[in-house]
């Protein structure tokens, strides 16, 4: 199998981590993965906050509803990234929206996040994208200024579990030829 696809398929959401730190060098490599991600007209609207302070981690955790399987990881992961975006830039030209979808920041952040998760996986790190929490409450915790949105949280670390792959749809269920 193609080596890249093999890595992509082997990546799993990891929510339990070993008590082993992620080095500054590895963090730098992860940030390069964000830096070289594609974005709308190269707007690069992403902002990354590395949250180390345990008290802030606990306050971020408190923004999650009960039952989110990633709740513990927000505090326990050796590395916690909070992914934010500058509003009104991606998808805009001269301050005007260019498509029916308005702000493309979520799209760009999604790509950057996949770059992060795949690069992390290639370095032996596990990660889980966390999207289900009170975003405005979390933005207050990290002091996000006006004009930005907090999009997701990404706990990362060396895996302490090997989750089974959730099933995928068959390709024939989503590929269409010529017309839908
Ligand atoms: C945008 C997005 C938001 C997600 N939010 C959460 C979350 O809040 N909590 C959680 O435990 N997993 C979350 N996940 C992880 C998904 O549940 C997971 O990717 C999916 O079940 C497929 O499993 P896999 O990543 O192991 O292939 C999220 C994933 C994405 C892409």
């Amino acid at each position: 199998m193609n080596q890249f696809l093999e890595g992509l398929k082997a990546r799993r959401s990891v929510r339990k981590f070993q008590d082993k730190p992620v080095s500054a060098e590895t963090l730098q490599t992860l940030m390069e993965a964000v830096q070289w991600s594609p974005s709308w007209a190269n707007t690069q609207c992403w902002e990354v906050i590395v949250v180390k302070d345990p008290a802030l981690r606990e306050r971020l955790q408190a923004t999650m509803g009960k039952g989110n399987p990633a709740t513990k990881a927000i505090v326990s992961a050796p590395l916690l990234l909070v992914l934010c975006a500058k509003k009104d830039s991606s998808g805009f030209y001269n301050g005007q929206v260019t498509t029916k979808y308005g702000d493309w920041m979520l799209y760009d952040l999604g790509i950057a996040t996949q770059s992060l998760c795949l690069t992390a996986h290639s370095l032996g790190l596990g990660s889980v994208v966390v999207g289900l929490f009170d975003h405005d409450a979390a933005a207050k915790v990290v002091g996000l200024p006006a004009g930005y949105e907090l999009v997701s949280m990404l706990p990362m670390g060396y895996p302490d579990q090997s989750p089974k792959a959730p099933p995928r749809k068959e390709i024939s269920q989503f590929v269409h030829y010529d017309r839908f």
Side-chain angles (χ1 to χ4, degrees):
M1 199 201 299
N2 168 280
Q3 240 186 342
F4 180 80
L5 186 61
E6 217 169 297
L8 188 147
K9 288 169 91 168
R11 180 214 55 82
R12 289 280 70 74
S13 289
V14 172
R15 299 173 178 86
K16 244 184 116 189
F17 304 97
Q18 295 170 40
D19 190 16
K20 177 181 168 186
V22 176
S23 70
E25 191 193 354
T26 300
L27 178 59
Q28 179 69 17
T29 306
L30 293 170
M31 292 307 100
E32 278 183 47
V34 174
Q35 180 182 34
W36 286 97
S37 295
S39 61
W40 181 285
N42 203 24
T43 36
Q44 305 168 63
C45 69
W46 44 68
E47 303 283 341
V48 183
I49 305 173
V50 183
V51 182
K52 294 185 174 173
D53 182 347
L56 288 181
R57 294 262 202 125
E58 277 182 23
R59 287 175 60 197
L60 287 173
Q61 189 183 50
T63 69
M64 298 169 77
K66 286 208 171 69
N68 191 321
T71 303
K72 274 193 186 152
I74 298 297
V75 167
S76 67
L79 177 65
L80 178 68
L81 304 181
V82 171
L83 302 176
C84 306
K86 186 174 168 46
K87 292 200 284 185
D88 304 336
S89 58
S90 179
F92 285 70
Y93 184 72
N94 284 339
Q96 297 294 311
V97 152
T98 53
T99 73
K100 67 175 272 194
Y101 296 118
D103 202 321
W104 281 68
M105 67 175 179
L106 291 181
Y107 199 96
D108 289 352
L109 267 278
I111 293 173
T113 302
Q114 176 74 330
S115 298
L116 269 171
C117 294
L118 291 178
T119 303
H121 178 68
S122 78
L123 296 167
L125 288 164
S127 64
V128 59
V129 181
V130 180
L132 181 61
F133 56 94
D134 181 337
H135 292 81
D136 290 336
K140 281 195 189 121
V141 173
V142 296
L144 199 69
Y148 293 84
E149 292 285 358
L150 191 157
V151 176
S152 62
M153 299 193 275
L154 199 58
M156 296 183 144
Y158 294 94
D160 196 25
Q161 61 174 180
S162 312
K164 275 217 298 218
R168 265 32 182 192
K169 289 181 183 177
E170 293 298 330
I171 292 170
S172 60
Q173 289 179 280
F174 60 83
V175 177
H176 311 268
Y177 294 95
D178 292 334
R179 297 174 75 84
F180 192 98

